[in-house]
Amino acid sequence: MTTTPVRDRSTIMVLNGPNLNLLGRRQPEIYGTDTLADIEKLVAETAAPHGLTTDCRQSNHEGQLIDWIHEARERHAAVIINPAGYSHTSVALRDALATCDGLPIVEVHISNIHQREAFRHHSYVSALANGVIAGCGVQGYAFAVERVAALLAAARA
């Protein structure tokens, strides 16, 4: 007998793509000095007043991110994703997000990708996202949580 997974209507999956494990040490002039652990703390603290929790994950591997998106589609309330370099290259990541039928998705970039190299100006994820936040530093993650909380509240109303 196969059981259907139960969606947790209060947990946001926060996905971080390649090289974001090096935050705080990699190109601080672009990405700042906050670490991934700092971001995870920030999103948890921002989610809590809304009665939400976060499930934060990071991978340098495209397939792992896709597997987590598939999990989120079945089990989580929303997805916040910083696809990092995969934003500009991964049709597979975009296709995985397209399966998230009505699940709120917010894309985050620490830097303003539109002020950087031309190849960074296009994201395959953006067309599927309910919101795109770029250039706000790590504070963009807090903005993303606030947006997801508003979208979830509107869906419940």
Side-chain angles (χ1 to χ4, degrees):
M1 183 166 114
T2 304
T3 59
T4 303
V6 176
R7 180 172 283 167
D8 178 347
R9 303 276 181 202
S10 65
T11 301
I12 303 166
M13 183 172 279
V14 181
L15 296 177
N16 285 287
N19 300 309
L20 293 172
N21 56 306
L22 298 176
L23 286 173
R25 299 176 301 190
R26 174 182 169 244
Q27 296 178 288
E29 68 281 4
I30 295 174
Y31 301 108
T33 57
D34 289 302
T35 66
L36 190 56
D38 295 330
I39 290 170
E40 291 173 355
K41 181 177 183 234
L42 173 65
V43 295
E45 289 173 350
T46 307
H50 298 285
L52 299 169
T53 59
T54 54
D55 179 359
C56 299
R57 304 179 190 190
Q58 185 278 330
S59 181
N60 295 318
H61 305 281
E62 184 179 33
Q64 180 63 75
L65 292 165
I66 290 167
D67 288 344
W68 288 336
I69 291 166
H70 292 173
E71 180 183 338
R73 139 183 217 276
E74 298 289 334
R75 299 185 183 274
H76 290 74
V79 174
I80 294 171
I81 184 166
N82 183 340
Y86 290 137
S87 307
H88 325 292
T89 63
S90 182
V91 173
L93 200 62
R94 178 244 177 257
D95 288 350
L97 288 164
T99 71
C100 289
D101 307 323
L103 203 68
I105 299 168
V106 177
E107 179 181 7
V108 176
H109 296 280
I110 295 169
S111 68
N112 184 345
I113 60 174
H114 303 289
Q115 289 182 331
R116 297 187 64 195
E117 303 93 338
F119 72 86
R120 294 186 195 276
H121 297 179
H122 177 265
S123 168
Y124 285 102
V125 172
S126 295
L128 298 171
N130 298 89
V132 178
I133 300 165
C136 296
V138 298
Q139 188 180 16
Y141 285 87
F143 295 155
V145 170
E146 293 291 345
R147 182 63 183 144
V148 163
L151 291 168
L152 292 173
R156 285 191 295 269

